[in-house]
Amino acid sequence: RKVTVEVLDRLEHLALVDFRDAEGVERLQKAIQFADQLHEVNTDGVEPMDSVLEDRCLYLREDDVTEGNCTNELLKNAREKVEEYFVAPPGNIPLPKLEERETFLQGS
Amino acid sequence: MLRASLREVSAALKEGRVTPTELCQKCLSLIKSTKFLNAYITVAEETALKQAEESEKRYGRGQPLGVLDGIPVAVKDNFNAAGIETTCASKMLKGYISPYNATVVQKLLDQGAVLLGKTNLDEFAMGSGSTDGIFGPVRNPWSYSRQYKEKSVPKSHSQEDEESNWVITGGSSGGSAAAVSSFTCFAALGSDTGGSTRNPAAHCGVVGLKPTYGLISRHGLIPLVNSMDVPGILTRCVDDAAVVLGTLAGHDPKDSTTIQDNFKPFDLPNLTDVSKLSIGIPKEYHAPGLSSEILSLWSKAADLFKNAGAKVIEVSLPHTRYSIVCYHVLCTAEVASNMARFDGLEYGHRSDMNKSTESMYAATRREGFNDVVRGRILSGNYFLLKQNYENYFIKAQKVRRLIANDFVKVFGSGVDILLTPTTLSDAVPYMEFIKEDNRTRSAQDDILTQAANMAGLPAINVPTGLSERGLPVGLQFIGQSFQEKQLLTVAKWFEKQVKFPMIQLEVKRHDHGAFQHQKSASFS
């Protein structure tokens, strides 16, 4: 049961990471095959486990500001910035469709 | 002096037999002469010497901060250390200078430890060989030991043979394990998500402790799998691990997954009577591919406990073989989420593409991540798709509970500690290791260590003996949640019984770039 190009395309959109080549796609196929072994296990009546600490209360501290004022420190690591802003390219432009963008999946 | 344990050298500092700056300089010098191991990504020479000087002043005043004052340590390069580059061995973070210290790093520094540098790893801690980072693979110091050389087939003593024969450290905390094993530091931090501290510890002949999930803060540890990651401790003996644990454990308001119970640092008692102990031997850990050597060592260890009066019984953890599959799904899913923060906007690599935010993000991530990382992100996203969520992610979470329950049942039946192998075999040569891809290797190598992460339990690798090839083999003890004292006490007893040999490291001095047998300094 192979993964369709539509799903592969959707994954590239969601992850914003590319499959790069046939090996990349094959890697996913193998990963799914491997994961399918899970279905051998009977999990009727079993609750999913989020955390091994599920029996404990999550710690919430007081909503007081205890640190900050490190704008300069944080901006140091950004490549594009203006005054105290991180600069991003224009948003609300969807990633080009499969046919229009540079992706290995185009040929599939 | 460098071969001493952490506690021994700490005593020496206190008594003035050595000064912090001397110690620091010796370590820095050894790092230089063992550069071929590629254990360190960044060596923070200047800051380390400054820290050593500060420590010296404190000792001069008779006011050391504690046992760790002046002790050279190393930290895996996925922990943030202020002012030092933190790369995770990835192009994505090359040039990223941490603006803060991870809590564990801060705790070490607060105790006066001297941070020598950041150690090498698999890119973003994904891997079991420490071979898949952008700075190249880490070499196991034992490749250059007399013990290994004596056992290798002497075809010719050419440099090329030696060059191609070197073995891996295991991973992903290989740099840290190699650093401790080669005496360049007295303790190192690693991280452990599927075995990444215990695996290289076993291959490098050092103690590797994975603490209970929730005991040590993950604040500042660049996350892989939030529900399984823990900082790991690598040292040359169990007592040293207890000392470091004492410094690091405890609630951190900056990490809400740390428990709030009061943690009291402890000294390990010298256990002499094991008759009240019940040791469990999980039969499923006799996994396919387990080398006969390790099987035999495991069996001898069980006998050791039996002959000393302990109760040794076979137990069953029936869902063990699904642990790796379960991990594969949960890990990739959490990775897909955790890697989403790398988009080039606030830190790290940023692509020149600037047509739109999405295309910039895509290009940045395309350029910054290696195949392994990208592969896991894509797999993770697949398992999290609406159509797959129930069948894969939720299913894996259910299997996780079954795995955790296996342990609860066994410990509930009166077993105190589990004894298992840590790895399937001794360290393989690099040339052989790279023949299989990262995911296959990880699936093979994590099999014995992964379940402890799934259940959040503490586990420790104790170097046990040398294989026929002259390489270290370790055994693993798995304990009950937050029972580190019991776990380490038993581990220490075992360590005393097996008397693992010290590495006889032979460091050649390479002059003028050409490999020449000029001088051979032997640490024996």
Side-chain angles (χ1 to χ4, degrees):
Chain A
R1 208 188 28 151
K2 285 212 164 254
V3 184
T4 62
V5 176
E6 283 76 37
V7 172
L8 293 174
D9 179 39
R10 184 128 154 270
L11 288 175
E12 280 199 347
H13 264 92
L14 282 172
L16 288 182
V17 142
D18 63 313
F19 280 99
R20 186 84 30 116
D21 50 30
E23 203 186 315
V25 177
E26 187 54 30
R27 198 176 286 128
L28 176 67
Q29 291 287 163
K30 285 209 194 100
I32 300 170
Q33 227 177 324
F34 191 65
D36 282 335
Q37 291 174 76
L38 275 180
H39 302 124
E40 290 167 20
V41 188
N42 183 346
T43 52
D44 292 342
V46 181
E47 283 300 299
M49 182 183 235
D50 290 317
S51 164
V52 295
L53 300 176
E54 59 187 3
D55 292 333
R56 292 178 184 255
C57 228
L58 189 67
Y59 172 76
L60 290 177
R61 62 167 200 175
E62 289 305 308
D63 189 12
D64 293 324
V65 175
T66 52
E67 53 183 16
N69 287 323
C70 48
T71 318
N72 286 329
E73 282 303 304
L74 297 181
L75 285 173
K76 273 192 198 146
N77 279 309
R79 221 189 75 173
E80 309 280 337
K81 53 204 171 199
V82 164
E83 292 181 16
E84 292 190 345
Y85 294 90
F86 295 111
V87 179
N92 268 334
I93 301 175
L95 205 63
K97 285 210 193 64
L98 184 59
E99 313 81 62
E100 290 152 24
R101 71 174 193 275
E102 234 181 85
T103 167
F104 161 75
L105 298 178
Q106 251 193 46
S108 321
Chain B
M1 182 59 61
L2 294 187
R3 283 174 282 121
S5 75
L6 193 157
R7 295 198 323 169
E8 283 169 355
V9 87
S10 182
L13 284 169
K14 208 160 174 206
E15 292 157 21
R17 285 182 277 130
V18 67
T19 68
T21 47
E22 278 170 350
L23 199 56
C24 182
Q25 273 157 355
K26 275 202 170 81
C27 287
L28 289 171
S29 169
L30 184 57
I31 291 176
K32 285 198 185 90
S33 31
T34 52
K35 199 150 182 229
F36 55 92
L37 293 177
N38 203 17
Y40 288 81
I41 293 177
T42 305
V43 181
E45 193 165 330
E46 273 182 44
T47 49
L49 285 168
K50 259 195 222 118
Q51 286 161 10
E53 276 165 25
E54 293 299 309
S55 172
E56 201 154 305
K57 287 189 200 141
R58 290 190 291 267
Y59 275 107
R61 292 195 298 269
Q63 293 170 334
L65 292 165
V67 179
L68 283 180
D69 205 331
I71 303 287
V73 299
V75 161
K76 186 175 181 183
D77 206 18
N78 59 353
F79 286 92
N80 277 285
I84 303 179
E85 198 180 357
T86 296
T87 64
C88 292
S90 175
K91 186 169 175 208
M92 190 57 94
L93 284 179
K94 201 148 181 259
Y96 165 70
I97 310 278
S98 301
Y100 70 108
N101 281 322
T103 297
V104 288
V105 172
Q106 190 62 56
K107 285 186 169 186
L108 288 176
L109 294 174
D110 285 344
Q111 286 295 302
V114 172
L115 180 58
L116 295 173
K118 311 298 282 309
T119 56
N120 204 351
L121 59 155
D122 281 304
E123 182 162 338
F124 278 111
M126 298 186 199
S128 59
S130 302
T131 51
D132 274 326
I134 57 166
F135 297 102
V138 185
R139 299 185 182 203
N140 192 328
W142 284 81
S143 313
Y144 303 95
S145 67
R146 197 176 294 164
Q147 289 107 326
Y148 179 60
K149 287 185 196 162
E150 274 170 6
K151 294 299 180 86
S152 38
V153 180
K155 296 176 262 192
S156 65
H157 288 285
S158 73
Q159 292 290 66
E160 291 87 57
D161 281 345
E162 233 177 49
E163 271 307 292
S164 58
N165 259 347
W166 62 268
V167 298
I168 57 164
T169 49
S172 60
S173 311
S176 283
V180 172
S181 169
S182 59
F183 307 111
T184 58
C185 62
F186 292 87
L189 291 188
S191 64
D192 197 310
T193 305
S196 290
T197 289
R198 293 159 285 155
N199 177 294
H203 288 315
C204 293
V206 297
V207 169
L209 170 64
K210 173 214 169 294
T212 311
Y213 179 85
L215 186 63
I216 300 188
S217 173
R218 292 179 299 111
H219 174 77
L221 165 61
I222 295 173
L224 192 64
V225 182
N226 291 317
S227 68
M228 293 184 218
D229 289 348
V230 291
I233 297 171
L234 293 140
T235 54
R236 290 197 283 277
C237 66
V238 179
D239 269 328
D240 288 353
V243 169
V244 180
L245 180 70
T247 313
L248 300 181
H251 177 64
D252 180 15
K254 293 183 186 169
D255 178 358
S256 59
T257 59
T258 52
I259 58 159
Q260 292 163 256
D261 300 0
N262 257 322
F263 174 79
K264 281 199 214 82
F266 48 79
D267 279 329
L268 294 176
N270 276 313
L271 190 63
T272 44
D273 173 25
V274 296
S275 60
K276 296 198 186 62
L277 262 185
S278 173
I279 308 281
I281 310 285
K283 62 179 189 208
E284 290 84 1
Y285 278 66
H286 183 160
L290 185 66
S291 83
S292 50
E293 271 187 317
I294 298 195
L295 181 60
S296 156
L297 213 64
W298 185 22
S299 177
K300 281 205 197 94
D303 288 341
L304 198 72
F305 278 101
K306 216 179 286 176
N307 295 334
K311 183 165 165 226
V312 179
I313 53 170
E314 189 187 75
V315 295
S316 175
L317 297 167
H319 296 92
T320 300
R321 66 197 190 91
Y322 294 108
S323 171
I324 275 295
V325 189
C326 185
Y327 174 66
H328 166 71
V329 173
L330 294 179
C331 172
T332 50
E334 293 210 37
V335 159
S337 168
N338 279 321
M339 295 293 127
R341 72 192 68 196
F342 298 106
D343 54 24
L345 212 49
E346 295 164 57
Y347 43 73
H349 174 69
R350 176 174 175 148
S351 169
D352 290 329
M353 157 70 74
N354 64 354
K355 289 214 189 81
S356 68
T357 35
E358 284 212 12
S359 61
M360 187 278 272
Y361 293 172
T364 295
R365 292 155 71 80
R366 178 197 193 97
E367 294 162 17
F369 290 138
N370 74 1
D371 289 345
V372 178
V373 180
R374 284 193 351 269
R376 292 201 195 186
I377 295 174
L378 288 162
S379 299
N381 274 296
Y382 179 84
F383 297 132
L384 292 172
L385 288 175
K386 237 185 273 187
Q387 71 232 43
N388 297 326
Y389 196 78
E390 188 71 38
N391 280 337
Y392 289 96
F393 185 69
I394 299 289
K395 181 78 180 177
Q397 286 193 311
K398 291 180 180 176
V399 175
R400 181 175 186 177
R401 184 178 294 284
L402 292 174
I403 293 168
N405 283 346
D406 279 355
F407 285 101
V408 170
K409 277 195 203 105
V410 163
F411 286 128
S413 71
V415 169
D416 299 308
I417 304 255
L418 296 169
L419 169 62
T420 81
T422 313
T423 55
L424 294 175
S425 72
D426 56 1
V428 302
Y430 175 71
M431 298 308 277
E432 207 184 291
F433 185 78
I434 52 175
K435 285 188 190 147
E436 292 275 13
D437 72 271
N438 184 292
R439 192 185 57 79
T440 311
R441 280 298 181 199
S442 298
Q444 293 164 346
D445 301 333
D446 287 347
I447 237 165
L448 302 169
T449 47
Q450 212 299 301
N453 296 86
M454 213 39 100
L457 300 171
I460 185 170
N461 171 76
V462 180
T464 307
L466 294 184
S467 69
E468 262 172 34
R469 289 162 65 219
L471 295 172
V473 168
L475 290 178
Q476 172 179 238
F477 291 92
I478 303 175
Q480 299 173 65
S481 275
F482 303 107
Q483 303 302 312
E484 270 78 354
K485 185 167 182 188
Q486 182 185 54
L487 178 68
L488 290 170
T489 302
V490 175
K492 178 173 161 177
W493 179 88
F494 183 70
E495 175 189 62
K496 231 197 201 143
Q497 310 305 309
V498 297
K499 300 201 215 0
F500 182 78
M502 186 171 285
I503 183 177
Q504 287 163 34
L505 194 58
E506 297 184 338
V507 179
K508 293 183 197 68
R509 294 239 300 273
H510 303 298
D511 296 306
H512 311 299
F515 294 131
Q516 300 205 2
H517 275 277
Q518 293 209 337
K519 281 186 196 152
S520 190
S522 173
F523 291 80
S524 51

